[in-house]
Structures are given as C-alpha cells and as structure tokens.
C-alpha cells in the first residue's frame, strides 16, 4: 500500500536541504582514509581549547535536562553585546533562529524579500510557510540594498540579508545598510544574518550593528552563530539579538530544550576566548590570499571575499570539479542548488589542507585539459 496522506500545500515543491558532504560519507563511499573537508565554512583550527574544556566538564551532567532557555548563555551574550538578556534568543544553530522567525511572523501569502544568491535557507524557510518570496537581482555578486528596499511594499513581512553573504563572500557597507534601514517600512522585519561577522568586522566600512542599531530599530534582528569563527558547528548553537518583544514571540514556539547542555556551557566559555577567534581570523586572512592567488593561477575567477571561503568561477563545470576532487579526497561545494553550475565555493583550511586542495585542483584540471 502506498502513502496517501497529503502534506501541507507549501511543502510540495520543497526539497531537503543539501548539506556539504561529510568526511565520513566520502570515506565510506570511496574507501579513502584521508579526506579534507572544505565545504561548510567550518573553522579548520577546531574549537577553542577553553570551550572544549567547558564542554567536557559539562558533559558529566548529560543525564540532566539543560536549562530550557539557555539563561547563562543568554546572560553572557547580553554582556558581550551590551544588551539585556531578554533581547537574546539562543537556538539549535542560527538555522533554528531563521526558522523561528519564519514560523512566528509569516502567514501564507506574506511577502518576503531576499537577494538572488543569498543564503538558500532564507528562501527555503519562508517557502515552508507558504510565503511569497521576491528575489531581487544582485549587483557585482553583492546584495543591492537599494533595489531590495524598493522591492519592499506594505505587504512585505520580512527582508533577509546575509552580511557578508554566503555563497558569494561579498559584504554591504554601513552606508548601504543604514540606507535600507531608513527606507523599509517599520512593519517589515529586517533579518540580518552575520554568520561571518568576525572575518569582516575589521573592514572600515563594515556596519557595526550591535547594540546600537538593534536598539534604534525594533524591526531589526541580528543573527549570529558559534559554527564558524568559534569552531563549534557540531554543537549547533546560534542566536539572535532583537527587541525583547520579538524575542518573546520566538520563545513561545521554540522547542522546550532546544540547545543541549554541554553546548550551552561551551559557548559561554567560547565567548571569553577572544584570542582564539583573533588567531583564526588572522590565519584565514593569510591563507585566503594564498588560495585565491593559486586558484587564479589555475584559471579560476575569484571574487573578493570578506569571509572564510572563496566564491569561484570554475574553468570546468562545478559539479564535475566537485566529483573529481572527491576522488582525490577533497570536498568542496558545487553551487548548482543556487542556480550557479559554473561556480564553486571553497572554504579556507589550514596551510596543510590548502596545499592538498591546490595540488588536487592542479591535477584535476590538467587531466581535464588533456582529455579535452
Ligand atoms: C549565512 C549563514 N547563515 C546561517 C548559517 C547556519 O549556521 P548554523 O545553523 O550552523 O548556525 C550558515 C551556515 O553555513 C550561513 O552561511
């Protein structure tokens, strides 16, 4: 007998999110011992040793439920950003915050404005609610905030911006962002996803949003994550900072124990380890320049990046490159799901990982040109 219960109408055209391929799956499928993953923009240095120590200490209490609303982590984040803990919501990755926002604020047919090649989860989560997604073209692979503001109407409920953006690696300036804030109706929520903020914040014209802009604009929510510069992607912890009333709505619908106990403890400690974040950002800067130069030399078109990854036009189709690199034990990210079959995204690794990547790229491309 076949399954015959119909799901919600809004779900019918959706596909499951395709995460970057895991090291374990490549090892299993191709029988490889050593695999380098440069596909999900994780921190190649791993977690901060201080966060890891806090995790290990806390895991002894794993028989107990965690505190449901992550109060210590909320308080630590409040201190870190200079806001009240009531203005902070902690989630199972920042992905959960995106979901909570959509579930709290979007009704069927509400309008949502996104940028053409913005982080794909925005569109997916909004579509799950049955919202009408308006996609605004980019300019030079960068969100065109003026055009996005123009696309916003009184029917617009939410505007999503990732700054810097995944997968294009570009960023919007303070001036551009403030222009958007003043142009958009106050009835629309501006969701600013700063997953890669640590890699961009030293740029002179990068916007400083916390705490001032969130205080001044109750319709602005800033999302951040422990998955990138903090090196804790496996723990699944992210958060949002916004008006306390907005946070109250999200709190009503989040799962009762949405963030695990050692995760909460590790993130409190991770916030204190500024030296670890600085070290990772500095290494990323040096290595990103090296990888960009080497890839340009191999015929890739490399865009400017304010992140820990490169967005690259590939000399051969992205998926062909991805598959050939897998056989060499290197995982990168093809961008077909973004409608960019000629581009790939490559995370910046350790010096040793980047060398393996460059060597593998050279081999794959010389084989491809010999076969052509
Ligand atoms: C822009 C952006 N936002 C959010 C996320 C989700 O991060 P997490 O759920 O691990 O916090 C990612 C992950 O790649 C991202 O690139």
């Amino acid at each position: 007998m076949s399954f015959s219960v119909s799901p919600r109408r809004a779900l019918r055209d959706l596909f499951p999110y395709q995460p970057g391929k895991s090291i374990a799956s490549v090892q299993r499928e191709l029988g490889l011992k050593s695999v380098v993953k440069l596909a999900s923009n994780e921190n190649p240095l791993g977690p901060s040793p201080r966060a890891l120590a806090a995790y290990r200490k806390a895991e002894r209490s794993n028989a107990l439920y965690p505190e449901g609303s992550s109060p210590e982590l909320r308080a630590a984040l409040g201190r870190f950003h200079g806001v009240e803990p009531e203005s902070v919501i902690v989630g199972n990755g920042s992905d959960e915050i995106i979901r909570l926002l959509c579930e709290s604020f979007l009704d069927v047919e509400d309008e949502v404005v996104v940028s053409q090649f913005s982080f794909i989860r925005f569109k997916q989560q909004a579509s799950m609610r049955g919202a009408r997604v308006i996609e605004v073209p980019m300019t030079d692979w960068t969100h065109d905030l003026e055009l996005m503001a123009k696309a916003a109407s009184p029917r617009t409920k939410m505007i999503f911006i990732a700054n810097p953006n995944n997968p294009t690696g570009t960023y919007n300036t303070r001036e551009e962002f403030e222009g958007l804030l003043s142009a958009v109706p106050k009835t629309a929520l501006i969701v600013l996803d700063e997953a890669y903020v640590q890699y961009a914040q030293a740029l002179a014209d990068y916007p400083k949003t916390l705490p001032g802009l969130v205080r001044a604009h109750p319709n602005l929510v800033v999302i951040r994550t422990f998955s990138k510069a903090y090196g804790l992607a496996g723990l699944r912890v992210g958060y949002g900072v916004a008006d306390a009333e907005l946070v109250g709505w999200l709190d009503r619908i989040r799962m009762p124990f949405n963030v695990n106990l050692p995760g909460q403890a590790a993130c409190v400690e991770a916030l204190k380890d500024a030296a670890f974040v600085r070290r990772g950002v500095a290494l990323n800067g040096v290595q990103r320049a090296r990888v960009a130069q080497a890839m340009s030399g191999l015929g890739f078109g490399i865009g400017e990046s304010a992140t820990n990854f490169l967005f690259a036009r590939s000399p051969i189709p992205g998926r062909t490159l991805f598959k050939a690199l897998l056989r060499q034990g290197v995982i990168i990210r093809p961008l077909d799901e973004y409608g960019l079959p000629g581009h790939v995204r490559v995370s910046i690794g350790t010096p040793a990982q980047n060398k393996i990547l460059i060597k593998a790229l050279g081999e794959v491309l010389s084989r491809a040109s010999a076969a052509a």
Side-chain angles (χ1 to χ4, degrees), residues 3-16 124 126-130:
F3 183 72
S4 53
V5 185
S6 41
R8 286 200 297 119
R9 198 187 310 275
L11 305 193
R12 291 184 197 157
D13 296 329
L14 296 181
F15 294 94
Q124 289 175 341
S127 304
M128 267 180 230
R129 298 295 313 151

Coordinates of all heavy atoms in Angstrom, one line a residue, residues 3-16 124 126-130:
F3 N 1.7 5.4 0.5 CA 1.3 6.5 1.4 C 0.4 7.5 0.7 O 0.6 7.9 -0.4 CB 2.6 7.2 1.8 CG 2.4 8.3 2.8 CD1 2.1 8.0 4.1 CD2 2.5 9.7 2.4 CE1 1.9 9.0 5.0 CE2 2.3 10.7 3.3 CZ 2.0 10.4 4.6
S4 N -0.7 7.8 1.4 CA -1.7 8.7 0.6 C -2.3 9.8 1.5 O -3.4 10.3 1.2 CB -2.9 7.8 0.2 OG -3.4 7.0 1.3
V5 N -1.5 10.3 2.4 CA -1.9 11.5 3.2 C -1.2 12.7 2.6 O 0.0 12.7 2.5 CB -1.5 11.3 4.7 CG1 -2.1 12.5 5.5 CG2 -2.0 10.0 5.2
S6 N -1.9 13.7 2.3 CA -1.3 14.8 1.6 C -0.6 15.8 2.6 O -1.3 16.1 3.6 CB -2.2 15.6 0.7 OG -3.4 15.7 1.3
P7 N 0.6 16.2 2.4 CA 1.3 17.2 3.3 C 0.7 18.6 3.0 O 0.0 18.8 2.1 CB 2.7 17.1 2.8 CG 2.7 16.7 1.4 CD 1.5 15.9 1.2
R8 N 1.1 19.5 3.8 CA 0.7 20.9 3.6 C 1.1 21.3 2.2 O 2.2 21.0 1.7 CB 1.4 21.9 4.6 CG 0.9 21.8 6.0 CD 1.3 23.0 6.8 NE 2.7 23.2 7.0 CZ 3.4 24.2 6.5 NH1 2.8 25.2 5.9 NH2 4.7 24.3 6.7
R9 N 0.3 22.2 1.6 CA 0.5 22.6 0.2 C 1.9 23.2 0.0 O 2.6 23.0 -0.9 CB -0.6 23.6 -0.2 CG -0.8 23.8 -1.7 CD -1.8 24.9 -1.9 NE -3.0 24.7 -1.2 CZ -4.1 24.0 -1.6 NH1 -4.0 23.4 -2.8 NH2 -5.1 23.8 -0.9
A10 N 2.3 24.1 1.0 CA 3.5 24.8 0.9 C 4.7 23.9 0.8 O 5.8 24.3 0.4 CB 3.6 25.8 2.1
L11 N 4.6 22.6 1.3 CA 5.8 21.8 1.3 C 6.0 21.0 0.0 O 7.0 20.4 -0.2 CB 5.6 20.7 2.4 CG 5.4 21.2 3.8 CD1 5.6 20.1 4.9 CD2 6.3 22.4 4.2
R12 N 5.0 21.1 -0.9 CA 5.0 20.2 -2.0 C 6.2 20.4 -3.0 O 6.7 19.5 -3.6 CB 3.7 20.2 -2.8 CG 2.6 19.6 -1.9 CD 1.3 19.4 -2.6 NE 0.3 19.2 -1.5 CZ -1.0 19.4 -1.6 NH1 -1.4 20.0 -2.8 NH2 -1.8 19.2 -0.7
D13 N 6.6 21.7 -3.1 CA 7.7 21.9 -4.1 C 9.1 22.0 -3.4 O 10.1 22.4 -4.0 CB 7.5 23.3 -4.8 CG 6.2 23.3 -5.6 OD1 5.9 22.2 -6.1 OD2 5.6 24.3 -5.7
L14 N 9.1 21.6 -2.1 CA 10.4 21.8 -1.4 C 11.2 20.5 -1.5 O 10.7 19.4 -1.6 CB 10.2 22.1 0.1 CG 9.5 23.4 0.4 CD1 9.3 23.5 1.9 CD2 10.3 24.6 -0.2
F15 N 12.5 20.7 -1.4 CA 13.5 19.5 -1.4 C 14.3 19.6 -0.1 O 14.5 20.8 0.4 CB 14.4 19.6 -2.6 CG 13.8 19.3 -3.9 CD1 13.3 20.4 -4.6 CD2 13.5 18.0 -4.3 CE1 12.7 20.2 -5.8 CE2 12.8 17.8 -5.5 CZ 12.4 18.9 -6.3
P16 N 14.7 18.5 0.5 CA 15.5 18.6 1.7 C 16.8 19.5 1.4 O 17.3 19.5 0.3 CB 15.9 17.2 2.0 CG 15.0 16.3 1.2 CD 14.6 17.1 0.1
Q124 N 14.1 28.9 1.6 CA 13.5 27.6 1.9 C 12.6 27.7 3.1 O 11.5 27.2 3.1 CB 14.6 26.6 2.2 CG 15.4 26.2 0.9 CD 16.5 25.2 1.2 OE1 17.0 25.2 2.3 NE2 17.0 24.5 0.2
A126 N 11.1 30.4 4.3 CA 10.0 31.3 4.0 C 9.0 30.5 3.1 O 7.7 30.6 3.4 CB 10.4 32.5 3.3
S127 N 9.5 29.7 2.2 CA 8.6 28.9 1.3 C 7.8 27.9 2.1 O 6.7 27.6 1.8 CB 9.4 28.2 0.2 OG 10.1 29.2 -0.5
M128 N 8.4 27.4 3.2 CA 7.8 26.4 4.0 C 6.5 26.9 4.7 O 5.6 26.2 5.0 CB 8.7 25.9 5.1 CG 9.5 24.7 4.8 SD 10.5 24.2 6.1 CE 12.0 24.0 5.3
R129 N 6.5 28.3 4.9 CA 5.4 28.9 5.5 C 4.3 29.3 4.4 O 3.3 29.8 4.8 CB 5.8 30.2 6.2 CG 6.7 30.0 7.4 CD 6.1 29.2 8.5 NE 4.8 29.7 8.9 CZ 3.8 28.9 9.4 NH1 4.0 27.7 9.6 NH2 2.7 29.5 9.7
G130 N 4.7 29.0 3.2 CA 3.8 29.4 2.1 C 3.8 30.9 1.8 O 2.9 31.4 1.1

